[in-house]
Amino acid sequence: QVQPVESGGGSVQAGGSLRLSCLASGYSSSGYCVGWFRQGPGKEREGVAAIYTPAGRPFYFDSVKGRFTVSQDNANDTLYLQLDSLKPDDTAMYYCAAAQPKFPPSPEESGEYCSRHLVDFGAWGQGTQVTVSS
């Protein structure tokens, strides 16, 4: 599997916004899992959002619901993560992961399925740092 490439991290004040990009090329255009995870200082890795692209609905973890939004540019194999209303607790290294399931997941649960599948089978990027100051 091809390693995704993240970009767009930076330093912002609380309440600010950032947009992260994940370039995941080399996967089937018929569908694959791609998603975002993060690991803060002294914390375990946690999920942020995942989607079965191109047609699936995104799945968001509770800690970011209503503040973070996933969008896609399928022509350019890019998944974006819009981070709004940022908090100091959002400070973390943000990683993109991608994987090609053997069989497409059911549409109703494709995002949640991908959030689990990526942990077990994903190819991971190097990460991009997000720092939120109070």
Side-chain angles (χ1 to χ4, degrees), residues 39-93:
Q39 187 166 17
K43 298 180 182 179
E44 294 187 354
R45 185 182 64 191
E46 63 175 352
V48 175
I51 189 170
Y52 186 73
T53 189
R57 294 174 59 185
F59 172 81
Y60 297 97
F61 285 78
D62 288 345
S63 60
V64 305
K65 278 182 181 176
R67 300 189 299 122
F68 293 5
T69 307
V70 160
S71 61
Q72 307 169 77
D73 179 356
N74 296 319
N76 292 297
D77 299 329
T78 300
L79 183 75
Y80 298 102
L81 181 68
Q82 178 68 36
L83 292 70
D84 295 319
S85 302
L86 281 162
K87 307 174 182 178
D89 278 351
D90 295 318
T91 294
M93 185 70 80

